[in-house]
């Protein structure tokens, strides 16, 4: 009788399949269900669970997952043993299948959740026929949660992509075994296309393209930010305390920890200042969960790009959870699957919730904390500071600088100065700071060219020479690209508006209003020497704050001398970035070719 009812809906459904393209996964969180949750506990064999995973905890987690959905309510949960594996069409033998049907009826359940990562369409159909009610797996429930709670466009796109392999697999199944698609949690929207597989492929392609764009934007934003701040990502099993930790470290009001699985579905960025004065960009991320199909993680690639690209990853573990070891393994496995290769070096493991009586005293993470009481937080911040210094290659250095110099102001305004600088008694201050090469405000302009018959190429009068540069804004608030040439002259000194400092170039950012400056470092001029021909050689050093040169136009007024003869060449024109002449004394031609410029960070002049 039940079978007949199912069969009656097969033919129209299959016609739909052949006609339409707009296949979607159904969402049931609007209508809701009374759910019977069954965990198939594998008794023995190679598919029996890892010793770290307690089946009762797995069942408890499934109950929490289902109850996370607003209109879903677990009415009963049971563990029912199964031999060897869960691959049979109805998972259990007929006796257990009958018992589950009875249990569902007694508890007035309207749906059953079988706690395995994903049921095959054949199992979903087989169990539906046995129980005559929708059958969910872990994947279905997680997708329902994601769909209900996703807030941003990025999360929604990723969810849509994650559905596609599921829908494709169901549609293939329906071609050979027609059934009501809603049994398999798919339905069709109103659009009609005959080549539905092709339509699905097109949809996947479009989504992938959009997600690639989002990912590229995320990476670009991160790379830009990384130029300024080290990136620290917080990861962990869902509900471990990631958001709580991010809130503790940054004080961000917008972060609201919740006692709910997958409370965070989108990556958010926040800033924190470490004791060394270094500012870091901290990301709170989506939680991990065991036994999820890999394509679901793949689909969240754009969001997880923040983790992959992080300089340091904090893995927070809820050690008050009885299964924290298994959860920790799941997180490490997921990190590896998204391409984090060097867990030992890149990740610090933090044990959270030590205030709870259930906290495992034998947990052996790198540090122990409680986000609720704040215990261990100071040590953790010190550890993050130390790790960030290591990963960014920062080290303590001593600088002797003039009090009003641009470099001294750079150190102050970027909070590198943590202790009062000492007066050296000769008008300079001695700064002791922790800084990485990338954060140095000094940029060397290096030249590589091929010179024939000449040496000691240099501007004719370096301190009055016009260094024509394209200057890029580096202030964090915007990313203005340069479109014009401007020049700096060492002898032309400008006041920095609103400060007592001076610089050779002052540029106010049109977008953020910040005064950015560039100065030529005194006596930093180099000459291009024949002995190092075709090798990078420094020509001048710039002190940059908020701006950086990215191109140089040599123009004219350069000098050099014959390599063997010392013949002076006093008016070399490099407008074409090449030059040719003749050295009478040596009876040979002289040339400059293959002109190339690069800018590289260097140690500050005056470093002790
Ligand atoms: N007792 C105690 N509770 C904590 C601690 N840290 C976090 N919590 C609680 O644990 C729950 C989950 O915290 P969240 O910070 O939202 O966890 P999450 O890892 O961001 O969770 P998802 O975003 O859902 O993956 C909240 O109710 C927190 O108040 C702690 O150290 N001790
Ligand atoms: Mg969270």
């Amino acid at each position: 009788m039940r079978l007949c009812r199912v069969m009656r809906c097969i033919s129209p459904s299959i016609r739909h399949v052949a006609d339409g393209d707009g296949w979607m996964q159904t969402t049931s969180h609007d209508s809701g269900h009374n759910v019977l949750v069954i965990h198939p506990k594998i008794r023995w064999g190679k598919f029996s669970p890892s010793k770290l995973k307690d089946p009762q905890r797995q069942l408890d987690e499934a109950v929490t997952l289902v109850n996370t959905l607003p209109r879903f309510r677990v009415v009963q949960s049971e563990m029912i043993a199964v031999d060897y594996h869960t691959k049979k069409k109805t998972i259990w033998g007929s006796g257990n299948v009958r018992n589950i049907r009875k249990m569902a009826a007694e508890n007035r359940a309207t749906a059953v959740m079988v706690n395995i990562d994903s049921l095959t369409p054949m199992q979903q159909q087989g169990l539906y026929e046995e129980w005559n009610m929708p059958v969910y797996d872990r994947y279905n429930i997680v997708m329902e949660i994601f769909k209900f709670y996703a807030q941003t466009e990025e999360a929604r796109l990723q969810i849509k992509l994650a559905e596609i392999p599921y829908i494709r697999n169901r549609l293939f199944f329906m071609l050979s075994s027609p059934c009501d698609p809603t049994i398999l949690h798919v339905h069709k929207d109103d659009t009609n296309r005959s080549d539905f597989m092709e339509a699905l492929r097109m949809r996947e392609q479009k989504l992938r393209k959009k997600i690639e764009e989002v990912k590229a934007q995320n990476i670009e934003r991160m790379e830009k930010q990384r130029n300024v701040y080290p990136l620290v990502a917080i990861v962990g099993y869902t509900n471990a305390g990631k958001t709580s930790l991010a809130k503790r470290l940054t004080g961000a009001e917008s972060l609201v920890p919740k006692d709910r699985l997958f409370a965070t579905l989108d990556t958010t960025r926040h800033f924190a200042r470490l004791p060394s004065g270094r500012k870091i960009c901290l990301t709170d991320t989506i939680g991990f969960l065991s036994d999820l199909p890999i394509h679901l993680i793949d689909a969240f690639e754009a969001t997880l790009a923040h983790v992959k690209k992080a300089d340091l990853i904090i893995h927070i573990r809820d050690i008050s959870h009885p299964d924290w070891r298994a959860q920790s393994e799941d997180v490490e496995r997921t990190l590896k699957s998204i391409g984090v290769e060097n867990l030992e070096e890149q990740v610090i493991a933090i044990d959270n919730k030590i205030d709870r009586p259930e906290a495992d005293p034998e947990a052996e993470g790198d540090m122990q904390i409680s986000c609720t009481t704040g215990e261990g937080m100071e040590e953790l911040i010190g550890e993050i500071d130390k790790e960030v210094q290591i990963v960014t290659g920062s080290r303590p250095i001593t600088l002797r600088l003039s009090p009003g110099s641009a470099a001294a102001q750079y150190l102050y305004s970027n909070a590198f100065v943590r202790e009062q600088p000492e007066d050296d008694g000769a008008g300079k201050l001695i700064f002791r700071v922790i800084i990485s090469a990338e954060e140095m405000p000094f940029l060397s302009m290096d030249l590589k060219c091929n010179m024939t018959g000449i040496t000691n190429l240099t501007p004719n009068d370096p301190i009055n020479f016009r260094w024509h540069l394209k200057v890029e804004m580096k202030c964090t608030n915007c990313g203005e690209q340069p479109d014009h040439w401007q020049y700096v002259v060492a002898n032309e000194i400008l006041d920095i508006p609103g400060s007592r400092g001076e610089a050779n170039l002052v540029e106010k950012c049109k977008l953020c209003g910040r005064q950015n400056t560039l100065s030529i470092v005194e006596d930093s001029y180099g000459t291009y020497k024949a002995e190092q021909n075709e090798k990078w050689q420094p020509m001048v050093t710039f002190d940059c704050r908020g701006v950086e040169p990215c191109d140089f136009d040599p123009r004219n007024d350069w000098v050099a001398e014959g390599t063997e003869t010392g013949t002076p060449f006093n008016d070399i024109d490099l407008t074409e970035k090449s030059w040719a002449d003749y050295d009478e004394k040596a009876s040979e031609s002289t040339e400059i070719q293959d002109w190339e410029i690069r800018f590289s960070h260097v140690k500050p002049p005056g470093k002790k």
Side-chain angles (χ1 to χ4, degrees):
M1 174 66 189
R2 201 169 50 247
L3 196 62
C4 290
R5 217 170 33 239
V6 173
M7 288 304 285
R8 248 183 272 129
C9 56
I10 286 175
S11 332
S13 322
I14 257 324
R15 251 202 325 275
H16 279 300
V17 173
D19 289 346
D21 79 318
W23 286 90
M24 324 284 268
Q25 255 183 275
T26 44
T27 46
S28 314
H29 48 247
D30 292 338
S31 47
H33 274 298
N34 288 336
V35 186
L36 170 64
V37 178
I38 307 288
H39 179 70
K41 180 189 165 196
I42 301 175
R43 263 197 283 244
W44 46 67
K46 65 176 176 169
F47 295 107
S48 60
S50 122
K51 283 198 180 65
L52 291 175
K53 281 187 186 166
D54 175 44
Q56 181 58 46
R57 302 288 154 226
Q58 288 180 284
L59 177 62
D60 292 348
E61 186 178 80
V63 170
T64 315
L65 269 176
V66 173
N67 281 333
T68 299
L69 276 165
R71 300 172 90 96
F72 277 52
R73 192 171 67 93
V74 175
V75 286
Q76 172 71 299
S77 63
E78 273 297 326
M79 204 152 42
I80 297 185
V82 54
D83 293 342
Y84 303 112
H85 57 70
T86 52
K87 295 186 177 161
K88 255 199 242 159
K89 185 176 177 190
T90 54
I91 300 189
W92 296 272
S94 54
N96 274 329
V97 168
R98 244 191 335 270
N99 288 343
I100 295 171
R101 189 191 317 142
K102 217 167 118 213
M103 208 186 304
E106 281 165 9
N107 290 285
R108 295 171 183 269
T110 57
V112 180
M113 186 237 182
V114 179
N115 189 31
I116 64 174
D117 53 355
S118 50
L119 291 162
T120 65
M122 191 187 283
Q123 288 175 324
Q124 225 151 18
Q125 184 201 31
L127 292 172
Y128 182 93
E129 286 173 7
E130 291 292 343
W131 300 330
N132 197 25
M133 61 181 75
V135 184
Y136 290 86
D137 55 26
R138 249 170 119 73
Y139 167 81
N140 297 140
I141 297 292
V142 169
M143 285 303 278
E144 292 265 358
I145 296 174
F146 282 12
K147 281 185 181 179
F148 187 81
Y149 291 108
Q151 303 258 336
T152 62
E153 182 61 15
E154 178 178 322
R156 286 195 198 105
L157 282 174
Q158 293 177 128
I159 291 164
K160 280 188 191 157
L161 181 65
E163 286 186 341
I164 290 196
Y166 183 89
I167 298 170
R168 182 176 290 127
N169 168 282
R170 265 50 187 168
L171 293 185
F172 265 126
F173 174 76
M174 283 191 288
L175 283 176
S176 56
S177 309
C179 71
D180 180 351
T182 55
I183 294 174
L184 307 176
H185 303 289
V186 287
H187 76 279
K188 200 174 81 66
D189 70 12
D190 302 335
T191 50
N192 272 317
R193 270 187 67 162
S194 53
D195 48 353
F196 60 89
M197 280 297 179
E198 178 59 12
L200 207 58
R201 199 181 61 77
M202 302 274 285
R203 195 199 301 170
E204 181 172 8
Q205 232 174 37
K206 264 195 222 157
L207 284 166
R208 280 200 191 282
K209 199 164 157 246
K210 273 196 200 160
I211 289 174
E212 269 310 311
E213 281 166 19
V214 175
K215 190 174 143 199
Q217 278 167 12
N218 282 350
I219 291 177
E220 193 189 322
R221 200 179 317 132
M222 272 185 309
E223 293 296 351
K224 258 191 191 159
Q225 230 148 35
R226 172 187 274 147
N227 288 337
V228 192
Y229 307 117
L231 303 177
V232 179
I234 304 177
V235 302
Y237 207 78
T238 182
N239 211 45
K242 298 175 292 299
T243 304
S244 308
L245 179 61
K247 195 177 177 79
R248 271 265 168 201
L249 294 176
T250 63
E253 289 290 325
S254 58
L255 289 168
V256 186
K258 286 186 193 131
D259 195 8
R260 196 185 78 209
L261 303 187
F262 296 115
T264 308
L265 286 178
D266 309 293
T267 302
T268 53
R269 279 177 294 274
H270 311 272
F271 294 91
R273 174 96 57 204
L274 296 171
S276 62
R278 179 180 305 280
K279 211 167 161 186
I280 53 167
C281 176
L282 199 83
T283 53
D284 179 24
T285 56
I286 182 171
F288 297 164
L289 187 80
S290 68
D291 301 329
L292 282 183
I294 188 74
H295 70 256
L296 211 143
I297 293 158
D298 285 350
F300 274 76
E301 208 188 338
T303 298
L304 293 172
H306 294 90
V307 176
K308 202 174 154 187
K309 292 271 166 184
D311 295 300
L312 177 69
I313 297 172
I314 300 176
H315 173 190
I316 183 164
R317 315 184 294 187
D318 171 4
I319 57 155
S320 71
H321 193 287
D323 266 350
W324 70 267
R325 282 181 200 277
Q327 293 182 345
S328 180
E329 276 194 352
D330 280 321
V331 172
E332 285 176 7
R333 206 171 308 121
T334 312
L335 285 176
K336 279 191 190 146
S337 76
I338 61 167
V340 178
E341 272 142 27
N342 217 340
L343 291 185
E344 287 278 299
E345 279 178 20
Q346 222 182 327
V347 183
I348 48 175
I350 304 298
D351 298 336
N352 187 32
K353 306 199 186 178
I354 55 168
D355 58 294
R356 298 189 67 185
E358 306 90 333
D360 183 351
E362 288 178 11
E364 65 300 305
D366 296 318
M367 318 219 68
Q368 257 90 36
I369 59 161
S370 162
C371 291
T372 302
T373 64
E375 199 181 337
M377 212 50 73
E378 212 171 295
E379 291 84 345
L380 172 61
I381 292 169
E383 183 65 20
I384 297 173
D385 206 353
K386 212 167 79 195
E387 292 290 334
V388 164
Q389 281 174 34
I390 294 169
V391 293
T392 56
S394 309
R395 58 207 169 77
I397 62 162
T398 308
L399 298 167
R400 192 186 295 271
L401 301 168
S402 301
S405 69
Q409 287 190 14
Y410 169 84
L411 295 178
Y412 277 117
S413 58
N414 288 280
F416 287 111
V417 184
R418 305 304 291 176
E419 56 182 74
Q420 196 62 28
E422 247 175 73
D423 196 329
D424 75 344
K428 299 257 166 110
L429 292 177
I430 300 170
F431 292 82
R432 291 187 175 83
V433 292
I434 299 170
I435 199 163
S436 71
E438 284 72 31
E439 289 162 330
M440 298 290 192
F442 302 94
L443 268 194
S444 165
M445 187 181 87
D446 304 332
L447 165 65
K448 186 159 81 169
C449 65
N450 186 0
M451 294 196 309
T452 313
I454 54 164
T455 188
N456 290 336
L457 174 71
T458 188
N460 182 20
D461 177 7
I463 59 166
N464 288 305
F465 181 74
R466 290 183 173 186
W467 300 88
H468 282 88
L469 302 167
K470 272 192 179 168
V471 175
E472 194 175 352
M473 290 284 175
K474 283 280 170 188
C475 25
T476 50
N477 310 350
C478 59
E480 251 203 11
Q481 293 298 312
D483 55 7
H484 59 285
W485 293 105
Q486 47 194 323
Y487 63 81
V488 279
V489 179
N491 253 352
E492 288 178 10
I493 298 164
L494 311 168
D495 289 330
I496 304 171
S499 101
R500 278 185 288 155
E502 296 170 333
N504 296 127
L505 179 104
V506 180
E507 277 270 291
K508 185 172 174 182
C509 171
K510 283 189 222 94
L511 299 181
C512 69
R514 200 170 118 165
Q515 298 284 0
N516 298 314
T517 63
L518 181 147
S519 293
I520 296 168
V521 173
E522 218 179 318
D523 291 328
S524 65
Y525 315 109
T527 57
Y528 199 83
K529 297 195 167 32
E531 306 93 77
Q532 295 288 313
N533 199 26
E534 291 186 270
K535 298 222 168 85
W536 289 111
Q537 299 183 43
M539 298 304 289
V540 66
T541 304
F542 298 110
D543 176 341
C544 310
R545 294 191 301 145
V547 284
E548 264 183 31
C550 57
D551 204 354
F552 169 65
D553 189 357
R555 305 209 177 176
N556 52 20
D557 212 11
W558 291 75
V559 294
E561 56 197 58
T563 319
E564 303 297 339
T565 58
T567 309
F569 294 90
N570 285 334
D571 195 12
I572 296 177
D573 185 344
L574 284 165
T575 312
E576 298 301 323
K577 296 184 180 160
S578 63
W579 168 84
D581 207 331
Y582 191 75
D583 186 346
E584 302 277 358
K585 254 198 216 167
S587 302
E588 62 173 11
S589 52
T590 50
E591 266 182 18
I592 301 174
Q593 284 176 321
D594 306 328
W595 181 273
E596 277 182 71
I597 286 291
R598 74 168 187 197
F599 295 91
S600 58
H601 287 273
V602 289
K603 287 178 188 151
K607 181 185 160 278
K608 252 182 133 187

